[in-house]
Structures are given as C-alpha cells and as structure tokens.
Amino acid sequence: MSSQASVHPVLIRMHPDDNVAIVANDGGLAAGTAIADGPTLLDKVPQGHKLALVDIAAGGPVRRYGVVIGSAKSDIAAGRWIHERLLDLPAARSLDGLPMATVKAAESAPLDGYSFMGYRNRDGSVGTRNLLAITTTVQCVAGVVDLAVQRITAELLPLYPNVDGVVGLEHSYGCGVAIDAPGAEIPIRTLRHISLNPNFGGEVMVVSLGCEKLPPERLMPPGSIPINDQRGQALATIRLQDDAHIGLGDMIAAILAQARVHLARLDARRRERVPASALVVGVQCGGSDAFSGATANPAVGHCADLLVRAGATIMFSENTEVRDAVDQLTARAASAEVAQAIIHELDWYDRYLARGQADRSANTTPGNKAGGLSNIVEKAMGSIVKSGSSEIAHVLPPGEKLRADQRGLVFAATPASDFICGTLQLAAGMNLHVFTTGRGTPYGLAACPVLKVATRSELARRWHDLMDLNAGTIADGQTSIETTGQALFELLLDTASGRPTWAERHRLHNALVLFNPAPVT
C-alpha cells in the first residue's frame, strides 16, 4: 500500500487474511496520513507497529501472519494504532489432537558444489575455527583460568600462529547444587558436550578445584572423549588444590605448561576444503521486533532451506518462541515419532514454567513491545520462520550432542534466553551461529563465529560495525527474501573459511550460561 502524499506510507501485510499491517517507514507515520486503498491514520503509529486496516469489533480477532494473535479488548476503528494494551492473549494451543507429520516438504534438488575451508576432526566433525578450550568444573576456578588465558594469549599464542585463540569455558555451575536431583544431568552433559565442540579440535583440557560436586571424572567419564591417534593418555586435568601447587603463580604455570601440549597439536592443523554439508548452524533471534518475522527471519529461513539442500545441519530452538506454532512444527515433522518428540519437549517445558508459576506470556520483553510485538503469539509466528520450509528431521533434548547421522533440520529444545540457547546449541555441536536482531544486541560467542543479521536498515546503519548483514533492505524494497537468504548462505561459507565476524573483530562475547532446572542448595 502507498500514498502519493509527501510521505509515502510503506506498510507490510504478511497474509491476505490479516486485518493489520505494520508501518515500515523510519520514524513511523503521523496521524492523518492517508493510506491508498486503506484507512486514514487516527493515531501516530511508530515504525514496526501495527495499524488496523478495518474496523475490529470488541472481542474480534486480530490477525497477523494469517493467525489470530489476540482479540480486541474493545472496538478498534480502522486506522488505529494497535499495541499490546488493546489485545487479550489467546489461550495456548493444546498439545492434544495436533497434526502429526501431515505436511510434506516440497521436493528440491540437492545443492551440490558448495564448500568451505575448515578443520577436519578425527571424529568426522569439522571446525570453522581452531581454538584451545579450557574446561572448568566449577566457578571457583574461573578467576585463575582467566589470568591463565590472558597469559596464554599474550605469551604462547604468538608461538602457535595456526591457533585462532584460547577460550576459557567459564560457567556458574559445579557446586552448591543438588547434583543428583532430576534435571541436574542437563548442565553436566551440556558442559561435557561443549568441551567436545568441533571448533576445539578434539583437545580436552580441564581445570578443577578439587572439592567440588562435579569432579573431572564425573564431567568426563571414561569413554566420553573420542580416542584418536593424538590421545591415549588420561584426561589432562589440573587440580588447583593439589599439594604440588605452591601459590597462584605455580597454578598458572601448570596451566600454561599443559596448554603448550594442546597448542602444539592444534598448531599442526591446517584448513582444507570440505563440503558445505559439514556445517552445523544454529539460528536464534534476540532483541526481536515486528520486522524480525518480515525480513531477517524469513531470509534466514530461506538460507536454512539452502543448507538442508546442501546436506548441512541447521538447528532452530527457543521453546517459548515456537510454542504457539506447535501445530506447524508437528505437521512438518518427518514422522509421527519426530512429531511426538516435539510434543514431549514442549510439554516438559510447559510444566517447567508452571513450577515457577510462569507461562509463555513472561517471554516478551519491554524492547520487544517497543519494537511492535504485542505478545508472545505474534513473536512466535515471526520466530518460527527462521526454520524455513524443510521437514523437521530430528529433535534434540537440552544439552545433548548431535550424532553424525542426525542431519538436516533439527529442533533443539532450549529455553529462549539468548545466552542459554547459544550455550546449548554449542553443546549440540554448532560450528557457526546466525543471530537476528531488530532492537540491536552486541551478542557474541567466544567458541563460535556469530553472524548478526539486522532486521531494519536504520539499525544496520547505526550499528554499522556490529551487524554482519542487513535484511532491512527487504522492507526497503531493494532486495528480496530469496536474494538476502542466498547472500547469507554465501556469507556463512566465507565465515566458516575464516572471514571474521564483527563480534570476532571486536572480541565481543557473552558468558556461557548453563540451563539448570534442578535445585540450588
């Protein structure tokens, strides 16, 4: 829709059945703005927010994405600004009677010939970076490990030019917890599997305190580390409480000495050409706005379809941000068993939230609402499109690691928290990460490259040295979802080959946050 007035209104209507549209103009639209073939605005409508295209009676449905995202609390006249205070949230979709594997994805030809320069691992996985990781069993050792990482970075890394960096796997777990309670296995297996991430080259190095509830032998029991021709010895562990360590300086010296062993092996590795099927990509959104489901996430969804056609693995997550689209998920499942696994994970999470006297409505943030998202239903409909249109081949519980035979589109069940979701996707084996944002966030991960995609051109211009790709050009009419998705696919391959992201250039990264549904003592 457009007008020939001095300001040309640009509206985005996601589905022919929608009775609302969002305003795409920078700065929004003023009251009195006439919409061609539509109403005249009765209110000023901010950018990204919805306006009523027709009169909506009290109790009547408000539709976006062709889905009822709420009901009107009172009569809403055409041209009114629709925000969260005008809507009642629909009840959550029942997990009974869902369509089970009823939608078959359209047949698409395999996408051959794409590759990147990666690091092959002995277990068959491929790293996009060549990093030394130092696993910690408990938060108590974090300060010592941080000092050691600083020393390794300054003194040792220059001697090993083929190593991209050193990462201390700091977290808040390990002691003061009910470690045998139901749910406690989730943070333990998460940390174990992060230590085996493809970007760490199969080198496992552990720093322990010595008195914690999570000792190294429980974190990494026999058989948990794949044996290869570089390792036949015991798990490389440094316990700070051992009598041999006299003072802080000796502890750090011991960490540096062990680091040299791993750095030498990592430094001998070289990038080599590998097929695009070796990619394991996690997708996530944070600081979402109403453009997320109209620009960036659909482009990511197109890219996801390309990755699946190329034989790669792609994970989408965020339980509460897909819960209202559960019928779409179960319908797209590859089998009834996969559909049932989706239901199992979402039901478990419903009950987890209920124990805390919360539900899915607690998900939306002030920033989401300021960006035009009225509630979790609208947010979910925009979030789910990151998954593209392929069949959902597998479901992964939180903290589990993907097997070599689990390829294609995967629902990795995680909380929607940016930091917890990213941590769990790392544990699953992610070697590349895509993060869309509309409000803006400097999010990054030390263990994995994070490509950030802006939903709006204004954000991309303002945060020009933080956003890796601008999907706002879709709303501007300059590009299409398909061309932007293709550009992202090619950028992923370049990044996997070593091209640094903005977060890597600035060394921006967030802490690992383990999901612990068990009690803290």
Side-chain angles (χ1 to χ4, degrees):
M1 297 181 182
S2 63
S3 166
Q4 300 303 312
S6 56
V7 175
H8 298 284
V10 179
L11 305 184
I12 299 176
R13 186 181 186 181
M14 299 302 299
H15 190 277
D17 291 341
D18 291 353
N19 54 10
V20 299
I22 67 167
V23 171
N25 300 76
D26 285 352
L29 292 174
T33 302
I35 306 298
D37 300 320
T40 296
L41 268 59
L42 303 179
D43 306 304
K44 173 179 171 56
V45 182
Q47 184 187 39
H49 284 250
K50 297 176 289 297
L51 64 92
L53 298 174
V54 297
D55 292 336
I56 302 172
V62 175
R63 291 190 180 88
R64 189 175 179 221
Y65 300 101
V67 171
V68 176
I69 63 169
S71 57
K73 288 179 178 290
S74 57
D75 291 345
I76 300 175
R80 285 286 310 275
W81 169 25
I82 294 182
H83 47 75
E84 72 277 6
R85 296 183 299 279
L86 299 183
L87 302 182
D88 285 321
L89 181 69
R93 174 70 158 86
S94 171
L95 295 178
D96 295 323
L98 292 166
M100 307 290 276
T102 55
V103 175
K104 298 302 177 186
E107 291 288 336
S108 297
L111 200 59
D112 298 322
Y114 287 93
S115 62
F116 66 97
M117 300 298 291
Y119 294 97
R120 289 188 183 273
N121 297 319
R122 296 290 297 182
D123 65 356
S125 65
V126 175
T128 62
R129 296 296 183 267
N130 191 29
L131 298 165
L132 170 63
I134 301 177
T135 297
T136 61
T137 58
V138 67
Q139 171 62 208
C140 307
V141 304
V144 175
V145 171
D146 182 61
L147 290 175
V149 166
Q150 294 178 43
R151 291 275 303 276
I152 293 168
T153 301
E155 300 171 23
L156 299 187
L157 282 185
L159 306 176
Y160 302 97
N162 295 312
V163 180
D164 295 320
V166 56
V167 179
L169 300 181
E170 178 192 344
H171 56 89
S172 60
Y173 197 69
C175 211
V177 294
I179 203 159
D180 294 316
E185 72 280 3
I186 293 176
I188 297 172
R189 72 190 183 204
T190 300
L191 183 57
R192 177 185 306 139
H193 291 149
I194 289 176
S195 302
L196 303 174
N197 185 276
N199 290 344
F200 302 150
E203 299 294 328
V204 180
M205 175 179 169
V206 179
V207 175
S208 163
L209 183 60
C211 62
E212 62 270 31
K213 289 185 176 181
L214 182 62
E217 55 271 19
R218 179 163 182 172
L219 176 61
M220 293 289 184
S224 64
I225 304 174
I227 300 298
N228 58 41
D229 61 358
Q230 297 176 334
R231 183 183 298 105
Q233 68 276 18
L235 177 66
T237 303
I238 296 165
R239 288 182 174 84
L240 301 188
Q241 289 179 348
D242 284 356
D243 293 342
H245 299 309
I246 311 300
L248 174 64
D250 188 74
M251 297 175 190
I252 293 176
I255 295 173
L256 266 63
Q258 185 61 53
R260 286 180 181 272
V261 176
H262 299 282
L263 287 168
R265 291 200 289 249
L266 289 169
D267 193 58
R269 289 153 53 84
R270 297 292 185 273
R271 288 187 182 272
E272 56 184 290
R273 188 160 299 283
V274 294
S277 58
L279 288 176
V280 181
V281 181
V283 298
Q284 189 186 170
C285 49
S288 301
D289 66 357
F291 285 96
S292 295
T295 60
N297 289 349
V300 171
H302 181 75
C303 179
D305 289 344
L306 296 177
L307 287 164
V308 171
R309 290 174 57 196
T313 302
I314 184 159
M315 294 178 286
F316 71 105
S317 301
E318 302 166 291
N319 293 338
T320 47
E321 294 181 19
V322 304
R323 176 62 176 80
D324 282 281
V326 60
D327 54 330
Q328 298 179 39
L329 300 188
T330 57
R332 286 172 54 200
S335 66
E337 290 76 19
V338 171
Q340 191 57 53
I342 293 170
I343 294 170
H344 173 79
E345 293 298 334
L346 294 182
D347 176 63
W348 184 91
Y349 206 76
D350 280 355
R351 289 183 284 110
Y352 163 75
L353 291 176
R355 289 199 302 272
Q357 299 183 4
D359 62 22
R360 74 202 205 286
S361 67
N363 172 272
T364 44
T365 68
N368 294 155
K369 295 175 182 178
L373 293 174
S374 294
N375 55 39
I376 186 56
V377 182
E378 183 178 7
K379 187 176 181 181
M381 295 307 141
S383 176
I384 198 68
V385 295
K386 296 195 302 296
S387 66
S389 60
S390 302
E391 69 176 20
I392 301 170
H394 305 283
V395 177
L396 199 68
E400 292 288 11
K401 188 176 188 292
L402 285 163
R403 301 190 311 267
D405 62 341
Q406 290 179 311
R407 311 187 74 83
L409 180 63
V410 178
F411 175 57
T414 78
S417 161
D418 297 346
F419 325 110
I420 295 177
C421 177
T423 299
L424 288 167
Q425 289 186 341
L426 282 174
M430 170 176 72
N431 57 16
L432 206 56
H433 199 29
V434 176
F435 190 100
T436 68
T437 183
R439 303 292 291 170
T441 170
Y443 172 91
L445 294 170
C448 177
V450 178
L451 280 159
K452 290 197 289 298
V453 182
T455 72
R456 300 178 296 124
S457 292
E458 187 277 332
L459 174 65
R461 288 191 296 267
R462 187 160 44 88
W463 283 25
H464 58 90
D465 55 357
L466 288 168
M467 297 292 111
D468 297 286
L469 184 69
N470 177 22
T473 53
I474 297 170
D476 300 338
Q478 299 173 8
T479 58
S480 67
I481 289 170
E482 293 75 17
T483 56
T484 306
Q486 178 71 37
L488 177 59
F489 176 72
E490 294 171 2
L491 183 57
L492 283 171
L493 294 172
D494 288 344
T495 303
S497 297
R499 173 177 174 165
T501 65
W502 276 117
E504 288 180 302
R505 295 180 197 183
H506 298 309
R507 297 184 179 179
L508 294 174
H509 62 268
N510 292 91
L512 298 178
V513 181
L514 299 180
F515 176 41
N516 177 29
V520 174
T521 61

